[in-house]
Amino acid sequence: MSTSPSASVSNGSETASKKRKTSNSGPPMALTAPPNVEGVQQHQQQPLSAHIPKRGARACTACRKGKNRCEGEVRPHPPHPARLLSTQAPCRRCQASGTPCIFEKPEKKNVQAMSNASIERLSRLEGQYLVMQSQMIGMQSSLDRILSAVQNSQGTPLSAGPPHMYPPPIEPPREPLSGPSQIRNGFESGPVDRMRAFPPLPGFAPPPHKYANYGIVPSTAPSSDDESEDTLPRASLNAPIEALQGLANAAAEAAAAPSAEPPRVKKRKRAEPIPRNAFPHVVEKGLVTDSEARELFNIFFAGCHLFIPLFDPSYDTYESLMERSPWTFDAILAVAGKIRSGNGPLSPTFYKCLEEAQGIARSSLFGPVVRKEAVQGMLLLAAWSTNGWLPSGHAMRMALDLGLHRALEKLADESGKQRTEEEERNLVVSARIWLCLYWFDHQMSLGTGRPIVLRDENTILHCRVLLSHPMASPTDVRLIALVELIAHKTQIYDFLAPLNGQVNSSALSFIRRANDALDKWWADCDELHRRTMDQDSLLRKVLAGELHYAKLWLVCVALRGVAWDKMPFEQRELAFQAKDAASNCLNIFLNSPEYRAALRYAVHDSLVTAAFSGLFLLKMANLFPSELDLSGITAQVEQLAQLLSDVAAERYALTLRIMLANLRRKVGMASVIPTPVPTMPPPSFAENMIVSPSFHDPATMPPPFTMEELGFAWPNERGIFSPAAIPVWLQEQSLSDLGLPVNGSDGVFLQMANNNGWMGDFPPMPEAW
């Protein structure tokens, strides 16, 4: 709490009056003259009085007790201030009475209280001074950067921030360098360029962009009605770096303008032009021919864009994406190269495209991102990876940095603002990217049991405005359905997950309401699909499959950790409802020719939907063999396992085969699909899961499965699948648990040993940096 000005003035006046009274009661003393060393030595040889009185102690003790005026005399002395303090003579009254004349320091009243107040006021002023000093230092640093940028603009292009923040791309050395400067562990160790060097990545240096807002989501009017064109916008107040960058750009333009012209008042710039691409694409580098690149591009848009509704085929054409974003272009070719290879060995084209796309992605970690298409490229790498948690998080932060989360709000603004066609297209594309990323990030969190990072639902509040827009894509209707479904699943998870399997009356009531809400969601979204699609179209089949899987997922979250033998009647009924949902989901997968054909383009999430439905049916068959149609269930699951093997999804197919082998052992069933002699080789990623036939663990129940039981041909000797590789949720002691594991799909399916997040014969990658 600061001291009021009136209090400060009154205190100062009191102090001044006291000083005036004190100065009038005695001879003046010159205390500011420089000390005389010789005079001090002479004074030390003279006898000193018992007490040296201060300026205010002008009366001796006897006179002060008698309340008499002390008439003292001062002996002659040299004109030195140090001797004036020690030459006080006894007063006349003490000389006359023979009383010892003693000068004591009088006791002051309320000294301690005044000292505390002064100390508190002083500390408060010191704190205010430190705050002001730090602010001044920050302002001085900002002005220094602006001035240095203006000075550099006279000879070189303007660069944001410190001059060595983003150097131009430097190719890494092909062989060890000699001399004082060498590359060690990816960092320049020379004394000259130590501050200039950026940690070089394999063939990808950081792009030479300055940091600025390039109008990814352009604003066509001030942020609010109280802002004019000449005022500093609120966005700049919230982003000091961008505000300083704008000041630096304005200063550079003013310095470059001819001095003869009078200064002109310009309107605030809306956005800067997006710089050129920092990296060439694979066709430009000569790694892939144009004809092969077109073939892969057509493969991607034959079905991949239906599972990740991120593109508009009429706008995102081959030439357009190649020019706008080499990153996204290379990622599309990499995904298509994997799909084209199928069950066979991956082609060199796939490795080249994936290496280029991931190289550009790594360079974006510490460099500026200036294109919204970069978010598309990172999302594609995450969606078709078996471990997309980290890249999806990076894509989310890239989108937030570019302001894509504000696109829907601006698109839904009906205040009469006029936008150009380019600005309208930017808003539509930005909104589509944000909605797809929002859905994918939430789906990854719910599917793996990790916490949801972004909880702001206001960014998707106006999602349906995209459907009525003239620039809407044919797949936007599926995107809106996915976003609305993930909103329902988020509410379900937030309510049921903290219960930890305690299904009480309120939980049962919530589950019934959630089922009704899911049915209503499907009816509304199916009506949107029906306007442009027939009954047997792929997207309507996918929508129905997602409805049944959502009902299965709802029950599995509610029954998490609940043992079958301890289930009351209500929970038992829930388990059979989930069994019906899983069976309906598999029927859609297996009975729809369109869905079976499109499964080769599917992402990880769609494969999990099918495989988990089959695993839940097998668990129910283990627990209730007399109440279920075992032959029908095993037939469905065997067909699904074969279908997944045909689309190179062996991670999920092998997990299903392990559960099938376990069920057949228990009930003594034979395979429904006749396979007298297994001829299919095991997948390459499972080779490290196969142990010698001499392996024996008495504690293992049941005994380990042979490769023949799993339907594979083992060339040399009778191989045994390692029981340690089977997830805990599928092992014998956990078969009575129908709930979803805490870590989601990571605790259900076999884990990939390496493979860099992609299924293929990649060399092992380091687990940590």
Side-chain angles (χ1 to χ4, degrees):
M1 184 174 179
S2 60
T3 308
S4 62
S6 59
S8 301
V9 172
S10 61
N11 293 338
S13 61
E14 292 176 4
T15 305
S17 62
K18 291 181 181 179
K19 289 182 178 180
R20 286 195 297 269
K21 293 177 181 180
T22 305
S23 61
N24 294 334
S25 61
M29 297 188 300
L31 299 178
T32 59
N36 189 339
V37 178
E38 181 180 358
V40 174
Q41 293 175 352
Q42 294 177 1
H43 164 68
Q44 291 177 352
Q45 296 174 359
Q46 296 179 1
L48 297 177
S49 61
H51 180 73
I52 301 176
K54 298 291 184 181
R55 180 178 178 87
R58 293 300 184 183
C60 64
T61 304
C63 294
R64 191 163 59 251
K65 287 182 179 180
K67 296 184 179 180
N68 298 319
R69 181 175 181 179
C70 185
E71 299 176 353
E73 293 182 356
V74 179
R75 300 174 183 174
H77 51 76
H80 192 277
R83 300 186 62 187
L84 284 174
L85 292 176
S86 58
T87 57
Q88 184 83 28
C91 65
R92 296 175 183 176
R93 293 182 186 275
C94 292
Q95 286 181 353
S97 61
T99 305
C101 188
I102 301 174
F103 286 85
E104 295 181 352
K105 184 178 180 180
E107 220 179 291
K108 294 183 180 180
K109 297 182 180 179
N110 298 330
V111 176
Q112 189 66 24
M114 294 178 63
S115 299
N116 288 339
S118 301
I119 292 174
E120 182 181 357
R121 189 181 304 112
L122 180 61
S123 62
R124 187 164 53 247
L125 293 175
E126 287 179 350
Q128 294 175 0
Y129 170 75
L130 291 176
V131 172
M132 295 174 61
Q133 185 183 34
S134 63
Q135 293 176 350
M136 293 295 294
I137 291 174
M139 295 174 62
Q140 182 65 35
S141 175
S142 302
L143 291 175
D144 289 342
R145 289 198 298 269
I146 294 175
L147 291 176
S148 63
V150 172
Q151 293 173 359
N152 293 337
S153 65
Q154 298 177 359
T156 58
L158 181 64
S159 62
H164 302 156
M165 185 176 293
Y166 298 120
I170 302 174
E171 288 293 330
R174 300 299 179 185
E175 55 184 354
L177 300 177
S178 60
S181 176
Q182 293 185 351
I183 302 293
R184 295 179 180 175
N185 298 326
F187 289 87
E188 185 91 15
S189 60
V192 179
D193 295 332
R194 180 171 298 175
M195 297 302 295
R196 292 184 62 87
F198 193 94
L201 294 166
F204 297 91
H209 298 149
K210 59 185 178 180
Y211 184 91
N213 186 357
Y214 294 93
I216 305 302
V217 183
S219 174
T220 55
S223 302
S224 63
D225 297 333
D226 59 346
E227 289 182 8
S228 63
E229 294 291 340
D230 299 328
T231 59
L232 190 66
R234 284 205 180 101
S236 297
L237 296 176
N238 295 331
I241 298 179
E242 296 180 12
L244 290 176
Q245 178 64 48
L247 292 175
N249 296 341
E253 293 175 1
S259 58
E261 295 183 2
R264 294 181 300 172
V265 179
K266 295 183 179 180
K267 289 186 177 182
R268 172 166 47 92
K269 271 194 168 185
R270 293 303 177 195
E272 298 183 17
I274 298 180
R276 62 176 180 82
N277 289 308
F279 305 103
H281 49 74
V282 290
V283 178
E284 184 179 350
K285 295 181 72 172
L287 301 176
V288 181
T289 63
D290 183 74
S291 59
E292 186 178 13
R294 290 181 181 275
E295 177 191 356
L296 295 175
F297 193 87
N298 294 331
I299 289 175
F300 181 88
F301 280 94
C304 293
H305 70 295
L306 301 177
F307 291 93
I308 298 293
L310 195 58
F311 299 98
D312 182 0
S314 62
Y315 173 70
D316 297 309
T317 59
Y318 177 84
E319 290 79 7
S320 175
L321 275 179
M322 177 191 290
E323 178 183 358
R324 283 188 284 122
S325 177
W327 184 354
T328 306
F329 183 76
D330 293 346
I332 287 176
L333 299 189
V335 172
K338 174 183 177 296
I339 293 171
R340 184 180 64 176
S341 299
N343 288 329
L346 296 173
S347 63
T349 301
F350 163 74
Y351 288 111
K352 294 175 183 177
C353 296
L354 183 62
E355 181 183 0
E356 292 293 313
Q358 289 185 344
I360 301 176
R362 289 194 299 271
S363 71
S364 69
L365 290 174
F366 299 102
V369 177
V370 298
R371 283 177 173 80
K372 55 185 177 297
E373 288 83 2
V375 184
Q376 292 177 317
M378 181 59 75
L379 184 54
L380 290 179
L381 294 177
W384 272 271
S385 170
T386 57
N387 184 18
W389 171 255
L390 291 178
S392 68
H394 182 46
M396 173 67 73
R397 277 147 186 81
M398 290 165 56
L400 291 172
D401 191 41
L402 293 174
L404 303 190
H405 58 290
R406 298 193 297 265
L408 269 176
E409 182 182 359
K410 291 180 177 293
L411 201 61
D413 188 6
E414 299 179 355
S415 58
K417 300 175 183 178
Q418 297 296 325
R419 289 186 288 260
T420 64
E421 182 178 357
E422 182 182 0
E423 291 175 341
E424 197 74 17
R425 173 68 70 179
N426 279 336
L427 285 178
V428 170
V429 174
S430 300
R432 185 179 297 124
I433 294 173
W434 175 253
L435 288 176
C436 193
L437 182 59
Y438 185 94
W439 158 74
F440 186 80
D441 188 74
H442 279 64
Q443 185 65 31
M444 286 291 298
S445 300
L446 295 178
T448 58
R450 294 180 172 94
I452 299 174
V453 178
L454 184 67
R455 308 287 300 190
D456 187 9
E457 296 181 358
N458 294 327
T459 59
I460 61 170
L461 193 61
H462 308 284
C463 61
R464 290 213 173 191
V465 73
L466 197 62
L467 297 177
S468 58
H469 199 277
M471 297 180 181
S473 168
T475 57
D476 284 343
V477 62
R478 166 163 169 76
L479 177 59
I480 301 304
L482 290 174
V483 171
E484 293 180 351
L485 175 60
I486 205 63
H488 285 290
K489 295 177 73 173
T490 302
Q491 295 179 3
I492 292 171
Y493 190 84
D494 290 342
F495 183 87
L496 293 179
L499 297 180
N500 294 322
Q502 299 177 2
V503 186
N504 48 27
S505 59
S506 62
L508 291 173
S509 176
F510 176 83
I511 292 173
R512 285 192 294 269
R513 293 195 307 270
N515 276 310
D516 295 339
L518 290 175
D519 288 332
K520 185 180 185 303
W521 162 82
W522 174 81
D524 292 343
C525 293
D526 188 65
E527 176 63 25
L528 296 176
H529 284 69
R530 190 184 61 82
R531 298 173 185 175
T532 56
M533 305 172 193
D534 57 15
Q535 182 67 32
D536 297 329
S537 64
L538 172 63
L539 292 185
R540 293 186 70 178
K541 294 294 182 182
V542 173
L543 187 71
E546 288 168 345
L547 169 67
H548 296 303
Y549 182 75
K551 292 185 175 183
L552 167 63
W553 177 84
L554 165 65
V555 176
C556 290
V557 173
L559 298 181
R560 173 177 293 169
V562 179
W564 163 77
D565 54 349
K566 298 180 181 179
M567 280 186 180
F569 175 77
E570 294 83 2
Q571 295 183 12
R572 189 182 173 98
E573 288 297 317
L574 286 178
F576 276 88
Q577 292 177 15
K579 185 268 301 180
D580 295 337
S583 181
N584 293 334
C585 187
L586 284 191
N587 286 331
I588 293 176
F589 270 99
L590 299 175
N591 298 333
S592 173
E594 294 82 8
Y595 211 157
R596 294 173 65 100
L599 204 59
R600 63 191 293 249
Y601 305 104
V603 295
H604 168 76
D605 181 65
S606 299
L607 300 175
V608 167
T609 299
F612 184 80
S613 300
L615 291 175
F616 187 85
L617 286 178
L618 293 177
K619 270 204 168 187
M620 289 290 294
N622 271 280
L623 297 178
F624 308 98
S626 60
E627 303 179 39
L628 300 179
D629 182 11
L630 298 186
S631 60
I633 290 177
T634 54
Q636 275 187 317
V637 177
E638 283 186 341
Q639 291 180 34
L640 178 62
Q642 187 62 41
L643 177 61
L644 293 174
S645 296
D646 294 339
V647 297
E650 279 294 347
R651 179 194 182 194
Y652 313 98
L654 182 55
T655 308
L656 289 172
R657 288 192 173 93
I658 291 174
M659 287 289 289
L660 278 170
N662 187 27
L663 179 63
R664 283 195 293 263
R665 275 188 179 183
K666 281 190 171 183
V667 299
M669 294 178 58
S671 176
V672 178
I673 300 178
T675 53
V677 179
T679 58
M680 184 172 57
S684 58
F685 77 91
E687 292 181 358
N688 59 346
M689 303 178 184
I690 301 172
V691 297
S692 170
S694 60
F695 174 84
H696 178 68
D697 186 2
T700 303
M701 293 296 294
F705 301 107
T706 63
M707 298 308 295
E708 288 78 6
E709 286 182 283
L710 299 180
F712 297 109
W714 192 244
N716 299 328
E717 56 184 6
R718 185 181 176 88
I720 294 178
F721 193 83
S722 174
I726 301 177
V728 177
W729 193 75
L730 302 179
Q731 294 178 9
E732 186 70 21
Q733 67 270 18
S734 301
L735 289 182
S736 62
D737 183 8
L738 296 176
L740 191 69
V742 176
N743 56 345
S745 59
D746 292 342
V748 174
F749 300 101
L750 298 175
Q751 296 300 311
M752 307 288 288
N754 43 63
N755 297 345
N756 198 18
W758 289 70
M759 291 187 182
D761 50 347
F762 280 95
M765 297 295 290
E767 294 294 335
W769 294 90

